[in-house]
Amino acid sequence: MHRKVLFELHIKPLFRAIDRDHMLWHFDLWNPDSFYERNGQPKMHVINAILDHLTSNGPDQMPPNNNAGPWPEEWIDLYRRWIDEGCGRLSLTKGDYQIRKDGSTVKLFAKIEIDQGAECWWERQYEGSDSYIYHLSVESKEETGQSEGRIIREFIGNFPSQLQKITIVDQDGIQELPIPIS
Ligand code: HEM
């Protein structure tokens, strides 16, 4: 089955935190929106420049030889396929969230409305084992011709009871959901 390459699911994990740190003076390798903001350059400029640097055999090669480079060819092919398929992305969606405390556990539930045929994904932004930050994203699929959306009710997970909040990043921005006392 053909799987479209999407930045958040398939390309972002190829960039190490240390790659990101080293390149932040130019752009954020984990956020393609930042690729588009350089000196009024067209958005493809940085996307193509990254491919040029990934495939370079000379001193321009990224990541550099003394810093985990070069990438295996399969990774470079995947990055190239991402470009060829139109630089696919997930987009943020939104939901209604509810936190319930159940004895010694905290449970997070969500009600989400998305288009027919679309799928939604929770991406966890890792900030340590006691911090929970989730991005609620949607993957659009082929047009189904059906205009009405569908409602999904999801149980996201159990969390330790000493947790003070769960953070959700969605279309409405950053939401900090406090854990109820009881
Ligand atoms: C997959 C990982 C990486 C990618 C895709 C990447 C991409 C790039 C790109 C596109 C440029 C050119 C920027 C421009 O001139 O507009 C660049 C420059 C540069 N990168 Fe990276 N980079 C990566 C990892 C790293 C790492 C790990 C280091 C640190 C050792 C690093 C250090 C640099 C430096 C010093 C330059 C400037 C080179 C110069 O202007 O002469 N990069 N990188």
PDB file of all heavy atoms in Angstrom, residues 76-104:
ATOM      1  N   ILE A  76      17.817   9.574   2.764  1.00  0.00           N
ATOM      2  CA  ILE A  76      17.845  10.671   1.781  1.00  0.00           C
ATOM      3  C   ILE A  76      16.744  10.448   0.743  1.00  0.00           C
ATOM      4  O   ILE A  76      16.023  11.377   0.364  1.00  0.00           O
ATOM      5  CB  ILE A  76      19.229  10.758   1.107  1.00  0.00           C
ATOM      6  CG1 ILE A  76      20.294  11.065   2.172  1.00  0.00           C
ATOM      7  CG2 ILE A  76      19.235  11.818   0.003  1.00  0.00           C
ATOM      8  CD1 ILE A  76      21.723  11.035   1.668  1.00  0.00           C
ATOM      9  N   ASP A  77      16.556   9.176   0.314  1.00  0.00           N
ATOM     10  CA  ASP A  77      15.488   8.870  -0.652  1.00  0.00           C
ATOM     11  C   ASP A  77      14.118   9.245  -0.081  1.00  0.00           C
ATOM     12  O   ASP A  77      13.248   9.731  -0.791  1.00  0.00           O
ATOM     13  CB  ASP A  77      15.485   7.373  -1.007  1.00  0.00           C
ATOM     14  CG  ASP A  77      16.667   7.014  -1.897  1.00  0.00           C
ATOM     15  OD1 ASP A  77      17.310   7.932  -2.438  1.00  0.00           O
ATOM     16  OD2 ASP A  77      16.957   5.810  -2.021  1.00  0.00           O
ATOM     17  N   LEU A  78      13.934   8.989   1.222  1.00  0.00           N
ATOM     18  CA  LEU A  78      12.655   9.308   1.849  1.00  0.00           C
ATOM     19  C   LEU A  78      12.432  10.821   1.855  1.00  0.00           C
ATOM     20  O   LEU A  78      11.337  11.305   1.558  1.00  0.00           O
ATOM     21  CB  LEU A  78      12.618   8.761   3.278  1.00  0.00           C
ATOM     22  CG  LEU A  78      11.267   8.818   3.973  1.00  0.00           C
ATOM     23  CD1 LEU A  78      10.273   7.853   3.319  1.00  0.00           C
ATOM     24  CD2 LEU A  78      11.383   8.497   5.460  1.00  0.00           C
ATOM     25  N   TYR A  79      13.481  11.560   2.196  1.00  0.00           N
ATOM     26  CA  TYR A  79      13.377  13.027   2.196  1.00  0.00           C
ATOM     27  C   TYR A  79      13.040  13.512   0.780  1.00  0.00           C
ATOM     28  O   TYR A  79      12.172  14.371   0.595  1.00  0.00           O
ATOM     29  CB  TYR A  79      14.681  13.656   2.705  1.00  0.00           C
ATOM     30  CG  TYR A  79      14.596  15.159   2.832  1.00  0.00           C
ATOM     31  CD1 TYR A  79      14.074  15.750   3.978  1.00  0.00           C
ATOM     32  CD2 TYR A  79      14.989  15.994   1.783  1.00  0.00           C
ATOM     33  CE1 TYR A  79      13.957  17.131   4.086  1.00  0.00           C
ATOM     34  CE2 TYR A  79      14.880  17.370   1.879  1.00  0.00           C
ATOM     35  CZ  TYR A  79      14.361  17.945   3.035  1.00  0.00           C
ATOM     36  OH  TYR A  79      14.247  19.306   3.122  1.00  0.00           O
ATOM     37  N   ARG A  80      13.703  12.905  -0.235  1.00  0.00           N
ATOM     38  CA  ARG A  80      13.448  13.301  -1.628  1.00  0.00           C
ATOM     39  C   ARG A  80      12.002  12.972  -2.002  1.00  0.00           C
ATOM     40  O   ARG A  80      11.315  13.771  -2.636  1.00  0.00           O
ATOM     41  CB  ARG A  80      14.436  12.572  -2.549  1.00  0.00           C
ATOM     42  CG  ARG A  80      14.445  13.133  -3.966  1.00  0.00           C
ATOM     43  CD  ARG A  80      15.413  12.397  -4.876  1.00  0.00           C
ATOM     44  NE  ARG A  80      16.801  12.743  -4.661  1.00  0.00           N
ATOM     45  CZ  ARG A  80      17.740  11.926  -4.161  1.00  0.00           C
ATOM     46  NH1 ARG A  80      17.432  10.681  -3.816  1.00  0.00           N
ATOM     47  NH2 ARG A  80      18.982  12.323  -4.015  1.00  0.00           N
ATOM     48  N   ARG A  81      11.522  11.803  -1.555  1.00  0.00           N
ATOM     49  CA  ARG A  81      10.133  11.415  -1.873  1.00  0.00           C
ATOM     50  C   ARG A  81       9.155  12.376  -1.216  1.00  0.00           C
ATOM     51  O   ARG A  81       8.129  12.730  -1.798  1.00  0.00           O
ATOM     52  CB  ARG A  81       9.861   9.961  -1.414  1.00  0.00           C
ATOM     53  CG  ARG A  81       8.429   9.524  -1.678  1.00  0.00           C
ATOM     54  CD  ARG A  81       8.314   8.040  -1.961  1.00  0.00           C
ATOM     55  NE  ARG A  81       8.233   7.196  -0.792  1.00  0.00           N
ATOM     56  CZ  ARG A  81       7.108   6.947  -0.112  1.00  0.00           C
ATOM     57  NH1 ARG A  81       5.972   7.530  -0.451  1.00  0.00           N
ATOM     58  NH2 ARG A  81       7.112   6.137   0.920  1.00  0.00           N
ATOM     59  N   TRP A  82       9.503  12.837   0.023  1.00  0.00           N
ATOM     60  CA  TRP A  82       8.635  13.819   0.690  1.00  0.00           C
ATOM     61  C   TRP A  82       8.488  15.065  -0.194  1.00  0.00           C
ATOM     62  O   TRP A  82       7.377  15.574  -0.397  1.00  0.00           O
ATOM     63  CB  TRP A  82       9.230  14.181   2.068  1.00  0.00           C
ATOM     64  CG  TRP A  82       8.478  15.262   2.787  1.00  0.00           C
ATOM     65  CD1 TRP A  82       7.194  15.191   3.220  1.00  0.00           C
ATOM     66  CD2 TRP A  82       8.948  16.573   3.121  1.00  0.00           C
ATOM     67  NE1 TRP A  82       6.833  16.380   3.823  1.00  0.00           N
ATOM     68  CE2 TRP A  82       7.889  17.252   3.767  1.00  0.00           C
ATOM     69  CE3 TRP A  82      10.155  17.251   2.949  1.00  0.00           C
ATOM     70  CZ2 TRP A  82       8.006  18.559   4.245  1.00  0.00           C
ATOM     71  CZ3 TRP A  82      10.277  18.552   3.415  1.00  0.00           C
ATOM     72  CH2 TRP A  82       9.209  19.199   4.060  1.00  0.00           C
ATOM     73  N   ILE A  83       9.590  15.545  -0.773  1.00  0.00           N
ATOM     74  CA  ILE A  83       9.528  16.718  -1.664  1.00  0.00           C
ATOM     75  C   ILE A  83       8.700  16.379  -2.910  1.00  0.00           C
ATOM     76  O   ILE A  83       7.793  17.124  -3.287  1.00  0.00           O
ATOM     77  CB  ILE A  83      10.945  17.178  -2.090  1.00  0.00           C
ATOM     78  CG1 ILE A  83      11.755  17.633  -0.878  1.00  0.00           C
ATOM     79  CG2 ILE A  83      10.859  18.285  -3.144  1.00  0.00           C
ATOM     80  CD1 ILE A  83      13.190  18.054  -1.217  1.00  0.00           C
ATOM     81  N   ASP A  84       9.013  15.226  -3.545  1.00  0.00           N
ATOM     82  CA  ASP A  84       8.341  14.863  -4.806  1.00  0.00           C
ATOM     83  C   ASP A  84       6.832  14.743  -4.622  1.00  0.00           C
ATOM     84  O   ASP A  84       6.061  14.995  -5.547  1.00  0.00           O
ATOM     85  CB  ASP A  84       8.890  13.540  -5.353  1.00  0.00           C
ATOM     86  CG  ASP A  84      10.330  13.683  -5.837  1.00  0.00           C
ATOM     87  OD1 ASP A  84      10.791  14.835  -5.975  1.00  0.00           O
ATOM     88  OD2 ASP A  84      10.999  12.651  -6.047  1.00  0.00           O
ATOM     89  N   GLU A  85       6.404  14.322  -3.415  1.00  0.00           N
ATOM     90  CA  GLU A  85       4.964  14.149  -3.183  1.00  0.00           C
ATOM     91  C   GLU A  85       4.281  15.430  -2.708  1.00  0.00           C
ATOM     92  O   GLU A  85       3.111  15.404  -2.319  1.00  0.00           O
ATOM     93  CB  GLU A  85       4.728  13.047  -2.139  1.00  0.00           C
ATOM     94  CG  GLU A  85       5.037  11.665  -2.685  1.00  0.00           C
ATOM     95  CD  GLU A  85       4.808  10.563  -1.653  1.00  0.00           C
ATOM     96  OE1 GLU A  85       4.555  10.872  -0.464  1.00  0.00           O
ATOM     97  OE2 GLU A  85       4.904   9.396  -2.030  1.00  0.00           O
ATOM     98  N   GLY A  86       5.015  16.527  -2.682  1.00  0.00           N
ATOM     99  CA  GLY A  86       4.375  17.804  -2.348  1.00  0.00           C
ATOM    100  C   GLY A  86       4.532  18.232  -0.906  1.00  0.00           C
ATOM    101  O   GLY A  86       3.729  19.014  -0.405  1.00  0.00           O
ATOM    102  N   CYS A  87       5.556  17.726  -0.202  1.00  0.00           N
ATOM    103  CA  CYS A  87       5.880  18.177   1.166  1.00  0.00           C
ATOM    104  C   CYS A  87       4.671  18.027   2.103  1.00  0.00           C
ATOM    105  O   CYS A  87       4.216  19.000   2.718  1.00  0.00           O
ATOM    106  CB  CYS A  87       6.371  19.623   1.179  1.00  0.00           C
ATOM    107  SG  CYS A  87       7.784  19.910   0.121  1.00  0.00           S
ATOM    108  N   GLY A  88       4.124  16.824   2.188  1.00  0.00           N
ATOM    109  CA  GLY A  88       2.930  16.569   3.002  1.00  0.00           C
ATOM    110  C   GLY A  88       3.149  16.866   4.482  1.00  0.00           C
ATOM    111  O   GLY A  88       4.222  16.637   5.026  1.00  0.00           O
ATOM    112  N   ARG A  89       2.101  17.373   5.102  1.00  0.00           N
ATOM    113  CA  ARG A  89       2.145  17.714   6.536  1.00  0.00           C
ATOM    114  C   ARG A  89       0.882  17.207   7.213  1.00  0.00           C
ATOM    115  O   ARG A  89      -0.150  17.036   6.579  1.00  0.00           O
ATOM    116  CB  ARG A  89       2.137  19.253   6.712  1.00  0.00           C
ATOM    117  CG  ARG A  89       3.235  20.031   6.060  1.00  0.00           C
ATOM    118  CD  ARG A  89       4.495  20.024   6.888  1.00  0.00           C
ATOM    119  NE  ARG A  89       4.290  20.485   8.266  1.00  0.00           N
ATOM    120  CZ  ARG A  89       4.407  21.749   8.658  1.00  0.00           C
ATOM    121  NH1 ARG A  89       4.705  22.676   7.789  1.00  0.00           N
ATOM    122  NH2 ARG A  89       4.245  22.081   9.945  1.00  0.00           N
ATOM    123  N   LEU A  90       0.964  17.012   8.519  1.00  0.00           N
ATOM    124  CA  LEU A  90      -0.239  16.903   9.332  1.00  0.00           C
ATOM    125  C   LEU A  90      -0.685  18.321   9.644  1.00  0.00           C
ATOM    126  O   LEU A  90       0.128  19.246   9.620  1.00  0.00           O
ATOM    127  CB  LEU A  90       0.051  16.183  10.650  1.00  0.00           C
ATOM    128  CG  LEU A  90       0.425  14.711  10.603  1.00  0.00           C
ATOM    129  CD1 LEU A  90       0.718  14.212  12.011  1.00  0.00           C
ATOM    130  CD2 LEU A  90      -0.673  13.887   9.968  1.00  0.00           C
ATOM    131  N   SER A  91      -1.981  18.497   9.946  1.00  0.00           N
ATOM    132  CA  SER A  91      -2.386  19.818  10.432  1.00  0.00           C
ATOM    133  C   SER A  91      -3.051  19.633  11.787  1.00  0.00           C
ATOM    134  O   SER A  91      -3.541  18.541  12.101  1.00  0.00           O
ATOM    135  CB  SER A  91      -3.315  20.502   9.435  1.00  0.00           C
ATOM    136  OG  SER A  91      -4.289  19.605   9.024  1.00  0.00           O
ATOM    137  N   LEU A  92      -3.068  20.709  12.565  1.00  0.00           N
ATOM    138  CA  LEU A  92      -3.664  20.606  13.898  1.00  0.00           C
ATOM    139  C   LEU A  92      -5.180  20.615  13.777  1.00  0.00           C
ATOM    140  O   LEU A  92      -5.748  21.254  12.901  1.00  0.00           O
ATOM    141  CB  LEU A  92      -3.204  21.770  14.776  1.00  0.00           C
ATOM    142  CG  LEU A  92      -1.725  21.752  15.171  1.00  0.00           C
ATOM    143  CD1 LEU A  92      -1.372  23.008  15.957  1.00  0.00           C
ATOM    144  CD2 LEU A  92      -1.377  20.512  15.978  1.00  0.00           C
ATOM    145  N   THR A  93      -5.831  19.889  14.664  1.00  0.00           N
ATOM    146  CA  THR A  93      -7.288  19.932  14.729  1.00  0.00           C
ATOM    147  C   THR A  93      -7.666  20.258  16.177  1.00  0.00           C
ATOM    148  O   THR A  93      -6.779  20.606  16.969  1.00  0.00           O
ATOM    149  CB  THR A  93      -7.904  18.609  14.236  1.00  0.00           C
ATOM    150  OG1 THR A  93      -9.312  18.747  14.172  1.00  0.00           O
ATOM    151  CG2 THR A  93      -7.551  17.442  15.143  1.00  0.00           C
ATOM    152  N   LYS A  94      -8.938  20.204  16.524  1.00  0.00           N
ATOM    153  CA  LYS A  94      -9.263  20.537  17.913  1.00  0.00           C
ATOM    154  C   LYS A  94     -10.318  19.604  18.478  1.00  0.00           C
ATOM    155  O   LYS A  94     -11.003  18.917  17.716  1.00  0.00           O
ATOM    156  CB  LYS A  94      -9.701  21.983  18.041  1.00  0.00           C
ATOM    157  CG  LYS A  94     -10.871  22.368  17.188  1.00  0.00           C
ATOM    158  CD  LYS A  94     -11.115  23.852  17.336  1.00  0.00           C
ATOM    159  CE  LYS A  94     -12.163  24.327  16.362  1.00  0.00           C
ATOM    160  NZ  LYS A  94     -12.402  25.749  16.464  1.00  0.00           N
ATOM    161  N   GLY A  95     -10.416  19.606  19.771  1.00  0.00           N
ATOM    162  CA  GLY A  95     -11.362  18.702  20.424  1.00  0.00           C
ATOM    163  C   GLY A  95     -11.851  19.274  21.740  1.00  0.00           C
ATOM    164  O   GLY A  95     -11.461  20.367  22.150  1.00  0.00           O
ATOM    165  N   ASP A  96     -12.749  18.517  22.385  1.00  0.00           N
ATOM    166  CA  ASP A  96     -13.161  18.837  23.756  1.00  0.00           C
ATOM    167  C   ASP A  96     -12.481  17.821  24.649  1.00  0.00           C
ATOM    168  O   ASP A  96     -12.578  16.615  24.394  1.00  0.00           O
ATOM    169  CB  ASP A  96     -14.678  18.675  23.907  1.00  0.00           C
ATOM    170  CG  ASP A  96     -15.413  19.751  23.137  1.00  0.00           C
ATOM    171  OD1 ASP A  96     -14.871  20.861  23.059  1.00  0.00           O
ATOM    172  OD2 ASP A  96     -16.493  19.449  22.599  1.00  0.00           O
ATOM    173  N   TYR A  97     -11.865  18.301  25.707  1.00  0.00           N
ATOM    174  CA  TYR A  97     -11.070  17.402  26.546  1.00  0.00           C
ATOM    175  C   TYR A  97     -11.667  17.315  27.944  1.00  0.00           C
ATOM    176  O   TYR A  97     -12.218  18.285  28.456  1.00  0.00           O
ATOM    177  CB  TYR A  97      -9.619  17.911  26.633  1.00  0.00           C
ATOM    178  CG  TYR A  97      -9.068  18.254  25.268  1.00  0.00           C
ATOM    179  CD1 TYR A  97      -8.922  19.590  24.879  1.00  0.00           C
ATOM    180  CD2 TYR A  97      -8.750  17.262  24.361  1.00  0.00           C
ATOM    181  CE1 TYR A  97      -8.462  19.909  23.606  1.00  0.00           C
ATOM    182  CE2 TYR A  97      -8.290  17.574  23.099  1.00  0.00           C
ATOM    183  CZ  TYR A  97      -8.152  18.899  22.728  1.00  0.00           C
ATOM    184  OH  TYR A  97      -7.702  19.208  21.472  1.00  0.00           O
ATOM    185  N   GLN A  98     -11.499  16.159  28.526  1.00  0.00           N
ATOM    186  CA  GLN A  98     -11.993  15.983  29.894  1.00  0.00           C
ATOM    187  C   GLN A  98     -10.994  15.129  30.665  1.00  0.00           C
ATOM    188  O   GLN A  98     -10.540  14.094  30.163  1.00  0.00           O
ATOM    189  CB  GLN A  98     -13.341  15.276  29.844  1.00  0.00           C
ATOM    190  CG  GLN A  98     -14.056  15.375  31.143  1.00  0.00           C
ATOM    191  CD  GLN A  98     -15.329  14.536  31.164  1.00  0.00           C
ATOM    192  OE1 GLN A  98     -15.450  13.539  30.482  1.00  0.00           O
ATOM    193  NE2 GLN A  98     -16.260  14.971  31.993  1.00  0.00           N
ATOM    194  N   ILE A  99     -10.673  15.612  31.876  1.00  0.00           N
ATOM    195  CA  ILE A  99      -9.782  14.828  32.729  1.00  0.00           C
ATOM    196  C   ILE A  99     -10.599  14.311  33.894  1.00  0.00           C
ATOM    197  O   ILE A  99     -11.339  15.068  34.520  1.00  0.00           O
ATOM    198  CB  ILE A  99      -8.627  15.699  33.257  1.00  0.00           C
ATOM    199  CG1 ILE A  99      -7.737  16.100  32.082  1.00  0.00           C
ATOM    200  CG2 ILE A  99      -7.807  14.943  34.290  1.00  0.00           C
ATOM    201  CD1 ILE A  99      -6.521  16.875  32.493  1.00  0.00           C
ATOM    202  N   ARG A 100     -10.485  13.008  34.160  1.00  0.00           N
ATOM    203  CA  ARG A 100     -11.190  12.425  35.311  1.00  0.00           C
ATOM    204  C   ARG A 100     -10.181  11.746  36.216  1.00  0.00           C
ATOM    205  O   ARG A 100      -9.271  11.083  35.732  1.00  0.00           O
ATOM    206  CB  ARG A 100     -12.202  11.379  34.839  1.00  0.00           C
ATOM    207  CG  ARG A 100     -13.451  12.008  34.291  1.00  0.00           C
ATOM    208  CD  ARG A 100     -14.481  10.931  33.968  1.00  0.00           C
ATOM    209  NE  ARG A 100     -15.043  11.198  32.646  1.00  0.00           N
ATOM    210  CZ  ARG A 100     -15.478  10.281  31.815  1.00  0.00           C
ATOM    211  NH1 ARG A 100     -15.411   9.006  32.139  1.00  0.00           N
ATOM    212  NH2 ARG A 100     -15.974  10.610  30.647  1.00  0.00           N
ATOM    213  N   LYS A 101     -10.371  11.965  37.495  1.00  0.00           N
ATOM    214  CA  LYS A 101      -9.497  11.296  38.452  1.00  0.00           C
ATOM    215  C   LYS A 101     -10.226  10.052  38.929  1.00  0.00           C
ATOM    216  O   LYS A 101     -11.398  10.112  39.312  1.00  0.00           O
ATOM    217  CB  LYS A 101      -9.193  12.226  39.619  1.00  0.00           C
ATOM    218  CG  LYS A 101      -7.867  11.921  40.246  1.00  0.00           C
ATOM    219  CD  LYS A 101      -7.375  13.114  41.027  1.00  0.00           C
ATOM    220  CE  LYS A 101      -5.981  12.818  41.531  1.00  0.00           C
ATOM    221  NZ  LYS A 101      -5.438  13.920  42.284  1.00  0.00           N
ATOM    222  N   ASP A 102      -9.540   8.921  38.868  1.00  0.00           N
ATOM    223  CA  ASP A 102     -10.175   7.653  39.211  1.00  0.00           C
ATOM    224  C   ASP A 102      -9.263   6.953  40.213  1.00  0.00           C
ATOM    225  O   ASP A 102      -8.316   6.277  39.829  1.00  0.00           O
ATOM    226  CB  ASP A 102     -10.324   6.849  37.906  1.00  0.00           C
ATOM    227  CG  ASP A 102     -11.008   5.521  38.150  1.00  0.00           C
ATOM    228  OD1 ASP A 102     -11.481   5.299  39.275  1.00  0.00           O
ATOM    229  OD2 ASP A 102     -11.035   4.704  37.215  1.00  0.00           O
ATOM    230  N   GLY A 103      -9.522   7.193  41.505  1.00  0.00           N
ATOM    231  CA  GLY A 103      -8.639   6.622  42.527  1.00  0.00           C
ATOM    232  C   GLY A 103      -7.247   7.210  42.379  1.00  0.00           C
ATOM    233  O   GLY A 103      -7.067   8.420  42.396  1.00  0.00           O
ATOM    234  N   SER A 104      -6.271   6.344  42.144  1.00  0.00           N
ATOM    235  CA  SER A 104      -4.897   6.836  42.063  1.00  0.00           C
ATOM    236  C   SER A 104      -4.497   7.133  40.623  1.00  0.00           C
ATOM    237  O   SER A 104      -3.331   7.402  40.345  1.00  0.00           O
ATOM    238  CB  SER A 104      -3.942   5.807  42.664  1.00  0.00           C
ATOM    239  OG  SER A 104      -4.090   4.614  41.944  1.00  0.00           O
TER     240      SER A 104
END
